[in-house]
Amino acid sequence: MSLAEKKESGLMAGPVVTETDPQSVTENAEEPEGQAPPQDAEAEAEKRLARLLSQYGATWDGPHDPNDPYNWPEWRKVSMGLIFSVGQLVTLMSASIIAAALGDISRDLGVDASTAQITLSIYFLGLGVGPFFIAALCEMDGRKRIWVASNLWYILWNALCPVGLSQALMIIARFLAATGAGAGITLTGPVMADMYHAKDRGKSLAIASFLPYLGPALGPIVGGIVVQLIYWPWLFWIVSIFDAFIVLLGIIIIKESYTPVLLRRKAAAQSDQPANPALSPMKWAFWRDFFSRLDPYLRRPIRLLVRRPIIQVISLVLALNFGIYTFMLSTFATLWIDRYGESALIGSLHYISFSIGFCITAQVGGRIMDIIYKRLRNRPKYKGEGRPEFRVPYMVPGVLFIPAGLFWYGWSAEYRITWVMVDLGAIVFTCGSSILAQALLAYTLDLFGNLGASANAATRLFSYVLGFVFPIFAPQLYERLGYGWGNSLLAFIFVALGVPVPLFLWVWGEKLRGLGKKDNEEY
């Protein structure tokens, strides 16, 4: 007898609830596929439906319910993935778009080069703060509303950045714009995890990550064109107009995909009791207790970061990776303008090398990651049980390519070797950086399931702190050590701290995952 038949005959009943206490949700609230040995596909599906019923007071109408995001048609999943992908493209473009204009910004705002770098790097600090609020709100009230609201917030403050040519407004508005832009980085992976099983994680991330990784190239290229042909304030206004168009498309195309929120709404609709006013933002009760409801969700990523060693390890590796990336991103245009004597427009074209590396690994690497995961899971010793550690072999080329690319790029630039060699070094580095970030994101989503947004926010905080700090001292480092030894120093640091990580997670990852976790708590 199926779950739906049991419900109709009264053999299965569950409490009707309209709001699940976030403190009572287990870490894998929906248990990502592969976390338990599947004895039988139908039996596993029935167990999942029963678990959802006990947690949220409602469940799907059978394993093939078309309302379940796992069962949505492929065209809807892909179209939503593309909308989130384009939205994240705007985020990455905004981070680097002013790189080619830093000289003009420094002149017009009357600041020195280091202060001008702060106008670029402060954006990354905002990207570190914003996801904590975005993750809390989306796990409380769903993905779509917070995505739309965050993008509107970004559009407003990004458009205000150059107004009045004020140094203070530029820095404050860049920071506030970034807190909204963090929606793309925070939500894209979790939304794809809402719709795709763990065995298709690489495929889903390939769909969502193709366009964002054009950002490092498109941002400086657009920046170079605007600086040379128009006027640098239009950098901000063009991007805001573009994102406004994406938000309009998103309002039409995006559907809510977060299963806990969908089932809480379904439970409220099926209940004979009056609907909980807290579920409707149109009622005063929603706003009256808003902050009391937000509090446990807001504390979740902070507690994950403080209490879970696995999050701390992932966040530190991602931080080092991202810090080096922003270091290179903020100085790449200056390299071509000052050292190779190219114009801002021609120099910005070299950022295409970043996008080549990212696009290769996003599309090819994601599928390779899925193949590795499936083959390891299907080995007899694992009995079909998937584990987050199956993402680790894919990390190995990543941690090797990063220092190799740094040495290649740095010493090619040091001796002014042809631009081809410098760009090849940048491609090798970005391939490694993308592989490592991709594998660690998949590892995090496999481990934390429905809490992926909070876990993602927790792992990214240190990344954006270093993303803020590294570009500030980048000019001084290259001035003292040159490109060769400057990049070599970064490579040696990564070899010491980053290269051992895959071995560490493969051997001790399972034990590390259990540390800091308390029973009946999501963290």
Side-chain angles (χ1 to χ4, degrees):
M1 181 180 293
S2 70
L3 179 66
E5 292 169 340
K6 293 177 183 178
K7 289 167 62 180
E8 290 176 1
S9 62
L11 294 178
M12 177 174 288
V16 178
V17 295
T18 56
E19 184 74 33
T20 301
D21 180 2
Q23 305 294 339
S24 65
V25 181
T26 59
E27 180 178 280
N28 286 312
E30 200 172 335
E31 288 187 20
E33 179 186 329
Q35 297 301 307
Q39 303 298 328
D40 176 78
E42 281 296 319
E44 287 298 313
E46 294 291 336
K47 285 172 60 179
R48 172 178 176 259
L49 295 176
R51 182 175 64 252
L52 294 176
L53 179 65
S54 67
Q55 288 177 339
Y56 306 114
T59 192
W60 304 117
D61 299 330
H64 306 293
D65 186 347
N67 293 314
D68 185 347
Y70 280 161
N71 299 324
W72 286 352
E74 190 67 17
W75 68 264
R76 178 171 293 283
K77 296 180 181 180
V78 172
S79 62
M80 284 180 56
L82 289 176
I83 291 294
F84 277 90
S85 180
V86 175
Q88 192 174 352
L89 168 65
V90 173
T91 299
L92 295 177
M93 282 183 63
S94 293
S96 60
I97 198 169
I98 69 172
L102 287 178
D104 292 340
I105 292 173
S106 174
R107 182 194 66 235
D108 292 348
L109 297 186
V111 298
D112 58 24
S114 294
T115 305
Q117 283 284 356
I118 293 177
T119 65
L120 183 148
S121 61
I122 192 68
Y123 192 86
F124 296 110
L125 194 61
L127 289 177
V129 173
F132 280 83
F133 296 93
I134 293 168
L137 289 166
C138 82
E139 290 177 357
M140 182 176 73
D141 202 42
R143 317 288 200 197
K144 181 175 181 178
R145 291 173 181 172
I146 187 58
W147 182 84
V148 172
S150 296
N151 275 276
L152 293 176
W153 178 266
Y154 162 81
I155 291 168
L156 170 65
W157 288 106
N158 190 64
L160 289 175
C161 282
V163 173
L165 299 181
S166 166
Q167 174 189 347
L169 179 60
M170 171 69 79
I171 293 175
I172 293 171
R174 280 276 288 176
F175 174 81
L176 292 175
T179 60
I185 295 172
T186 307
L187 297 181
T188 301
V191 166
M192 302 310 289
D194 291 341
M195 300 184 293
Y196 287 92
H197 294 280
K199 63 184 177 64
D200 297 317
R201 188 81 73 220
K203 171 186 173 183
S204 69
L205 294 179
I207 294 171
S209 62
F210 174 66
L211 289 175
Y213 289 134
L214 296 177
L218 289 180
I221 291 172
V222 171
I225 293 173
V226 172
V227 168
Q228 191 160 325
L229 302 180
I230 313 177
Y231 187 37
W232 66 264
W234 277 98
L235 293 172
F236 301 92
W237 299 331
I238 289 171
V239 174
S240 289
I241 293 169
F242 177 64
D243 195 46
F245 175 70
I246 299 304
V247 171
L248 288 176
L249 286 179
I251 291 173
I252 298 170
I253 295 174
I254 293 174
K255 283 183 64 176
E256 181 54 56
S257 63
Y258 191 43
T259 292
V261 167
L262 292 174
L263 292 181
R264 288 200 295 264
R265 293 175 183 173
K266 183 176 181 179
Q270 292 175 344
S271 175
D272 294 332
Q273 303 170 2
N276 188 340
L279 289 174
S280 174
M282 303 303 294
K283 298 184 179 180
W284 171 245
F286 177 92
W287 302 105
R288 185 181 59 200
D289 67 350
F290 176 79
F291 288 105
S292 64
R293 294 190 301 119
L294 178 65
D295 178 65
Y297 293 94
L298 189 58
R299 285 189 285 112
R300 177 184 290 163
I302 297 173
R303 292 194 177 188
L304 281 172
L305 181 59
V306 171
R307 294 169 55 172
R308 299 299 302 275
I310 186 66
I311 288 289
Q312 295 162 11
V313 170
I314 293 174
S315 65
L316 289 174
V317 177
L318 283 175
L320 183 59
N321 180 31
F322 189 75
I324 296 173
Y325 166 69
T326 57
F327 187 102
M328 292 183 61
L329 196 68
S330 66
T331 57
F332 207 54
T334 306
L335 165 70
W336 300 107
I337 295 171
D338 294 346
R339 199 169 184 84
Y340 282 81
E342 298 179 352
S343 67
L345 176 57
I346 299 301
S348 66
L349 294 177
H350 292 280
Y351 280 91
I352 292 175
S353 60
F354 285 84
S355 288
I356 291 173
F358 281 131
C359 288
I360 289 173
T361 53
Q363 300 309 304
V364 179
R367 287 162 175 78
I368 293 174
M369 181 168 62
D370 280 346
I371 292 171
I372 295 173
Y373 182 90
K374 292 173 184 177
R375 289 186 177 179
L376 287 174
R377 185 193 61 187
N378 293 333
R379 286 183 176 180
K381 63 185 284 188
Y382 296 118
K383 302 177 181 179
E385 178 184 357
R387 300 180 182 180
E389 284 71 37
F390 293 165
R391 309 295 182 183
V392 170
Y394 180 64
M395 297 180 195
V396 174
V399 298
L400 297 179
F401 286 172
I402 288 174
L406 286 171
F407 287 126
W408 190 332
Y409 157 67
W411 289 105
S412 297
E414 179 71 20
Y415 290 105
R416 290 188 172 91
I417 300 177
T418 177
W419 64 269
V420 176
M421 292 297 290
V422 179
D423 283 352
L424 284 175
I427 290 173
V428 172
F429 167 80
T430 50
C431 281
S433 179
S434 177
I435 288 171
L436 181 59
Q438 198 175 39
L440 288 173
L441 175 59
Y443 187 102
T444 303
L445 293 175
D446 286 351
L447 177 57
F448 289 96
N450 279 338
L451 305 183
S454 287
N456 194 26
T459 59
R460 299 281 182 175
L461 176 62
F462 292 151
S463 295
Y464 294 117
V465 170
L466 290 191
F468 167 68
V469 172
F470 271 37
I472 295 175
F473 68 80
Q476 289 86 350
L477 180 68
Y478 282 146
E479 183 178 342
R480 293 185 180 184
L481 298 181
Y483 284 92
W485 283 113
N487 277 23
S488 295
L489 175 62
L490 297 176
F492 289 138
I493 293 173
F494 189 86
V495 167
L497 301 179
V499 170
V501 167
L503 178 62
F504 181 78
L505 289 178
W506 183 258
V507 176
W508 292 290
E510 186 173 359
K511 292 181 179 179
L512 197 64
R513 285 189 278 121
L515 296 178
K517 180 183 177 182
K518 295 185 177 181
D519 295 337
N520 300 321
E521 286 189 350
E522 77 276 23
Y523 41 73

